[in-house]
Amino acid sequence: MYLNLNEEKMNTLLLLLSLSIIPFTLCVPNPSRLLAGSSPSPVLDINGDKVQAGPNYFILPVIRGRGGGLYPSNVKQNNTCPRDIIQEAPEVQEGLPVVFTRVDAKKGAVSLCTDLNVRFYTPTICARETIWKLGPYDEELKQYFVVTGGVEGNPGPQTVNNWFKIEKFKKDYKFVFCPSVCNFCKVICKDVGIFTKDGVRFLALSDTPFRVMFKKTF
């Protein structure tokens, strides 16, 4: 009986160890934070400052030698305003800055694992056409792409495709599509990564997250 108990404890320990190395996509709150009633941890920029809703930030790759920042462009689609989100090919190109909008529409720090809108900052007639959203499933490429043309604010079932989250990925950050603005909606929960076609690097849902950092512009 003593040996069986030891074997059972060993099996439980091995199961816990195996679970601890599985890369979860969803945020798991820290129990101590929940008990204390504290807010989620803030997202930090490359200077260690809290990323804020309102100012402009470049979204830059952490891994060097694999392209630069992000910008809207017309590659797959033909629209008056650009719809595709592309990663710059040259590493030195920072792309266009973005503005974050919190789900509560308030100014202040952007927190991990909370819903937010992402909008490219561009002073053109397309300024309000550059909000990120999850595009329709591409049957030909068997892929979901992150595109522009979303709607800012108004969280709920009508805007569920427009909300993204920032999560920690090792020491860096990643974007995740897993909106929680609709309690009864069935949504996809997956990392945002890079899909390459004909040498063009598109922002898309992926099993391999796009590791990013944030650089404040002004």
Side-chain angles (χ1 to χ4, degrees):
M1 182 68 178
Y2 179 74
L3 290 177
N4 289 337
L5 285 174
N6 279 344
E7 289 175 358
E8 183 178 353
K9 289 180 179 178
M10 181 61 70
N11 290 335
T12 302
L13 177 61
L14 289 173
L15 175 61
L16 290 174
L17 288 174
S18 65
L19 288 174
S20 68
I21 61 174
I22 297 175
F24 290 100
T25 298
L26 301 181
C27 286
V28 180
N30 187 325
S32 63
R33 288 185 175 275
L34 292 177
L35 292 174
S38 58
S39 58
S41 299
V43 178
L44 304 179
D45 65 17
I46 60 174
N47 294 319
D49 298 322
K50 294 179 182 179
V51 171
Q52 302 287 324
N56 299 345
Y57 294 88
F58 288 115
I59 299 173
L60 301 175
V62 171
I63 301 176
R64 301 181 64 87
R66 296 187 184 178
L70 303 173
Y71 70 101
S73 179
N74 274 326
V75 178
K76 295 190 291 79
Q77 307 176 60
N78 185 19
N79 297 285
T80 302
C81 291
R83 287 289 181 262
D84 304 306
I85 300 177
I86 307 298
Q87 183 186 15
E88 296 270 15
E91 182 181 332
V92 295
Q93 297 296 327
E94 296 180 320
L96 280 182
V98 301
V99 177
F100 299 113
T101 300
R102 300 183 352 169
V103 68
D104 60 6
K106 295 179 180 179
K107 299 296 183 183
V110 172
S111 298
L112 289 171
C113 306
T114 56
D115 292 289
L116 54 84
N117 292 136
V118 187
R119 172 174 57 86
F120 283 112
Y121 177 79
T122 172
T124 68
I125 60 172
C126 294
R128 288 294 170 182
E129 298 288 326
T130 57
I131 298 165
W132 292 17
K133 71 174 185 178
L134 184 68
Y137 186 68
D138 189 313
E139 292 287 352
E140 181 183 352
L141 298 176
K142 308 299 182 185
Q143 181 68 52
Y144 280 102
F145 290 93
V146 180
V147 298
T148 62
V151 178
E152 195 169 41
N154 193 29
Q158 303 297 327
T159 64
V160 70
N161 283 355
N162 305 330
W163 299 94
F164 295 83
K165 296 176 181 178
I166 300 173
E167 296 183 6
K168 286 290 289 185
F169 182 62
K170 299 181 180 178
K171 295 182 179 180
D172 307 309
Y173 296 102
K174 64 179 180 178
F175 282 95
V176 170
F177 180 80
C178 190
S180 51
V181 296
C182 176
N183 294 330
F184 58 85
C185 298
K186 293 183 178 180
V187 299
I188 300 168
C189 284
K190 202 163 187 179
D191 291 333
V192 175
I194 299 294
F195 178 87
T196 304
K197 176 174 169 48
D198 298 330
V200 181
R201 297 171 64 83
F202 295 90
L203 202 63
L205 298 192
S206 173
D207 293 329
T208 304
F210 181 39
R211 295 172 61 177
V212 299
M213 54 187 175
F214 306 99
K215 178 182 176 182
K216 189 175 182 180
T217 60
F218 56 87

mmCIF file of all heavy atoms in Angstrom, residues 3 23 57 82 106 121 128 131 155 159 161-162 172 175-176 199 216:
data_model
loop_
_atom_site.group_PDB
_atom_site.id
_atom_site.type_symbol
_atom_site.label_atom_id
_atom_site.label_comp_id
_atom_site.label_asym_id
_atom_site.label_seq_id
_atom_site.Cartn_x
_atom_site.Cartn_y
_atom_site.Cartn_z
ATOM 1 N N LEU A 3 3.870 1.564 -1.240
ATOM 2 C CA LEU A 3 4.477 1.735 -2.559
ATOM 3 C C LEU A 3 3.464 2.303 -3.540
ATOM 4 O O LEU A 3 3.781 3.147 -4.375
ATOM 5 C CB LEU A 3 5.007 0.387 -3.064
ATOM 6 C CG LEU A 3 6.235 -0.176 -2.326
ATOM 7 C CD1 LEU A 3 6.595 -1.547 -2.882
ATOM 8 C CD2 LEU A 3 7.424 0.787 -2.470
ATOM 9 N N PRO A 23 2.417 25.745 -23.539
ATOM 10 C CA PRO A 23 2.276 27.186 -23.775
ATOM 11 C C PRO A 23 0.819 27.599 -23.933
ATOM 12 O O PRO A 23 0.244 27.527 -25.005
ATOM 13 C CB PRO A 23 3.059 27.392 -25.083
ATOM 14 C CG PRO A 23 2.940 26.088 -25.798
ATOM 15 C CD PRO A 23 2.906 25.032 -24.725
ATOM 16 N N TYR A 57 2.438 54.610 -30.614
ATOM 17 C CA TYR A 57 3.513 53.644 -30.386
ATOM 18 C C TYR A 57 3.809 52.872 -31.668
ATOM 19 O O TYR A 57 2.880 52.486 -32.389
ATOM 20 C CB TYR A 57 3.129 52.633 -29.297
ATOM 21 C CG TYR A 57 2.981 53.224 -27.924
ATOM 22 C CD1 TYR A 57 1.763 53.755 -27.512
ATOM 23 C CD2 TYR A 57 4.042 53.251 -27.038
ATOM 24 C CE1 TYR A 57 1.615 54.317 -26.250
ATOM 25 C CE2 TYR A 57 3.909 53.802 -25.768
ATOM 26 C CZ TYR A 57 2.698 54.334 -25.385
ATOM 27 O OH TYR A 57 2.555 54.887 -24.140
ATOM 28 N N PRO A 82 -6.426 51.289 -47.406
ATOM 29 C CA PRO A 82 -5.731 49.996 -47.268
ATOM 30 C C PRO A 82 -6.396 49.108 -46.235
ATOM 31 O O PRO A 82 -6.902 49.584 -45.220
ATOM 32 C CB PRO A 82 -4.323 50.407 -46.835
ATOM 33 C CG PRO A 82 -4.466 51.769 -46.255
ATOM 34 C CD PRO A 82 -5.581 52.416 -46.997
ATOM 35 N N LYS A 106 -11.406 54.738 -21.419
ATOM 36 C CA LYS A 106 -10.724 55.709 -20.566
ATOM 37 C C LYS A 106 -9.261 55.839 -20.958
ATOM 38 O O LYS A 106 -8.675 54.933 -21.550
ATOM 39 C CB LYS A 106 -10.825 55.297 -19.097
ATOM 40 C CG LYS A 106 -12.234 55.296 -18.543
ATOM 41 C CD LYS A 106 -12.240 54.857 -17.085
ATOM 42 C CE LYS A 106 -13.644 54.847 -16.503
ATOM 43 N NZ LYS A 106 -13.661 54.400 -15.084
ATOM 44 N N TYR A 121 -2.152 55.210 -36.650
ATOM 45 C CA TYR A 121 -2.246 56.672 -36.657
ATOM 46 C C TYR A 121 -1.792 57.182 -38.012
ATOM 47 O O TYR A 121 -0.620 57.054 -38.387
ATOM 48 C CB TYR A 121 -1.380 57.279 -35.551
ATOM 49 C CG TYR A 121 -1.392 58.788 -35.573
ATOM 50 C CD1 TYR A 121 -2.462 59.502 -35.035
ATOM 51 C CD2 TYR A 121 -0.350 59.503 -36.156
ATOM 52 C CE1 TYR A 121 -2.482 60.892 -35.075
ATOM 53 C CE2 TYR A 121 -0.363 60.889 -36.189
ATOM 54 C CZ TYR A 121 -1.433 61.571 -35.645
ATOM 55 O OH TYR A 121 -1.458 62.945 -35.689
ATOM 56 N N ARG A 128 -9.911 56.934 -39.945
ATOM 57 C CA ARG A 128 -10.852 56.122 -39.174
ATOM 58 C C ARG A 128 -11.121 54.774 -39.820
ATOM 59 O O ARG A 128 -12.010 54.035 -39.398
ATOM 60 C CB ARG A 128 -12.168 56.895 -38.997
ATOM 61 C CG ARG A 128 -12.041 58.065 -38.029
ATOM 62 C CD ARG A 128 -11.758 57.589 -36.620
ATOM 63 N NE ARG A 128 -11.394 58.667 -35.711
ATOM 64 C CZ ARG A 128 -11.069 58.500 -34.443
ATOM 65 N NH1 ARG A 128 -11.060 57.282 -33.935
ATOM 66 N NH2 ARG A 128 -10.721 59.532 -33.667
ATOM 67 N N ILE A 131 -8.594 50.777 -38.084
ATOM 68 C CA ILE A 131 -8.738 50.024 -36.842
ATOM 69 C C ILE A 131 -8.653 48.532 -37.144
ATOM 70 O O ILE A 131 -9.309 48.032 -38.058
ATOM 71 C CB ILE A 131 -10.074 50.368 -36.164
ATOM 72 C CG1 ILE A 131 -10.106 51.860 -35.805
ATOM 73 C CG2 ILE A 131 -10.310 49.504 -34.922
ATOM 74 C CD1 ILE A 131 -11.469 52.379 -35.459
ATOM 75 N N PRO A 155 -18.158 48.014 -27.231
ATOM 76 C CA PRO A 155 -17.932 46.576 -27.030
ATOM 77 C C PRO A 155 -19.236 45.791 -26.961
ATOM 78 O O PRO A 155 -20.188 46.208 -26.298
ATOM 79 C CB PRO A 155 -17.177 46.534 -25.693
ATOM 80 C CG PRO A 155 -17.505 47.816 -25.010
ATOM 81 C CD PRO A 155 -17.669 48.819 -26.101
ATOM 82 N N THR A 159 -19.319 44.157 -32.429
ATOM 83 C CA THR A 159 -17.928 44.587 -32.671
ATOM 84 C C THR A 159 -16.913 43.553 -32.203
ATOM 85 O O THR A 159 -15.742 43.875 -32.041
ATOM 86 C CB THR A 159 -17.652 45.921 -31.952
ATOM 87 O OG1 THR A 159 -17.764 45.717 -30.522
ATOM 88 C CG2 THR A 159 -18.617 47.000 -32.391
ATOM 89 N N ASN A 161 -15.203 41.262 -33.453
ATOM 90 C CA ASN A 161 -13.999 41.017 -34.263
ATOM 91 C C ASN A 161 -12.966 42.133 -34.169
ATOM 92 O O ASN A 161 -11.881 42.024 -34.748
ATOM 93 C CB ASN A 161 -14.377 40.820 -35.737
ATOM 94 C CG ASN A 161 -14.947 39.443 -36.006
ATOM 95 O OD1 ASN A 161 -14.984 38.595 -35.125
ATOM 96 N ND2 ASN A 161 -15.404 39.219 -37.216
ATOM 97 N N ASN A 162 -13.294 43.220 -33.472
ATOM 98 C CA ASN A 162 -12.402 44.386 -33.432
ATOM 99 C C ASN A 162 -11.517 44.448 -32.188
ATOM 100 O O ASN A 162 -10.761 45.411 -32.029
ATOM 101 C CB ASN A 162 -13.235 45.679 -33.480
ATOM 102 C CG ASN A 162 -14.157 45.722 -34.676
ATOM 103 O OD1 ASN A 162 -13.858 45.157 -35.725
ATOM 104 N ND2 ASN A 162 -15.290 46.381 -34.524
ATOM 105 N N ASP A 172 8.851 39.026 -23.453
ATOM 106 C CA ASP A 172 8.356 39.999 -24.437
ATOM 107 C C ASP A 172 6.826 40.011 -24.422
ATOM 108 O O ASP A 172 6.200 39.584 -23.467
ATOM 109 C CB ASP A 172 8.905 39.647 -25.822
ATOM 110 C CG ASP A 172 10.422 39.489 -25.818
ATOM 111 O OD1 ASP A 172 11.093 40.401 -25.319
ATOM 112 O OD2 ASP A 172 10.909 38.456 -26.308
ATOM 113 N N PHE A 175 0.373 39.756 -29.379
ATOM 114 C CA PHE A 175 -1.044 40.058 -29.512
ATOM 115 C C PHE A 175 -1.817 38.747 -29.604
ATOM 116 O O PHE A 175 -1.340 37.764 -30.196
ATOM 117 C CB PHE A 175 -1.315 40.905 -30.756
ATOM 118 C CG PHE A 175 -0.974 42.353 -30.592
ATOM 119 C CD1 PHE A 175 0.260 42.828 -31.014
ATOM 120 C CD2 PHE A 175 -1.877 43.239 -30.018
ATOM 121 C CE1 PHE A 175 0.597 44.170 -30.867
ATOM 122 C CE2 PHE A 175 -1.557 44.579 -29.866
ATOM 123 C CZ PHE A 175 -0.315 45.044 -30.290
ATOM 124 N N VAL A 176 -2.995 38.764 -29.033
ATOM 125 C CA VAL A 176 -3.873 37.597 -29.052
ATOM 126 C C VAL A 176 -5.266 38.043 -29.473
ATOM 127 O O VAL A 176 -5.739 39.105 -29.041
ATOM 128 C CB VAL A 176 -3.930 36.927 -27.661
ATOM 129 C CG1 VAL A 176 -5.016 35.860 -27.617
ATOM 130 C CG2 VAL A 176 -2.585 36.315 -27.310
ATOM 131 N N GLY A 199 6.663 36.432 -50.513
ATOM 132 C CA GLY A 199 7.618 37.363 -49.928
ATOM 133 C C GLY A 199 7.015 38.476 -49.101
ATOM 134 O O GLY A 199 7.731 39.278 -48.498
ATOM 135 N N LYS A 216 7.410 54.321 -27.933
ATOM 136 C CA LYS A 216 6.572 55.521 -27.964
ATOM 137 C C LYS A 216 7.142 56.545 -28.939
ATOM 138 O O LYS A 216 8.349 56.755 -29.011
ATOM 139 C CB LYS A 216 6.467 56.132 -26.570
ATOM 140 C CG LYS A 216 5.441 57.246 -26.458
ATOM 141 C CD LYS A 216 5.292 57.728 -25.017
ATOM 142 C CE LYS A 216 4.242 58.810 -24.906
ATOM 143 N NZ LYS A 216 4.081 59.291 -23.507
#
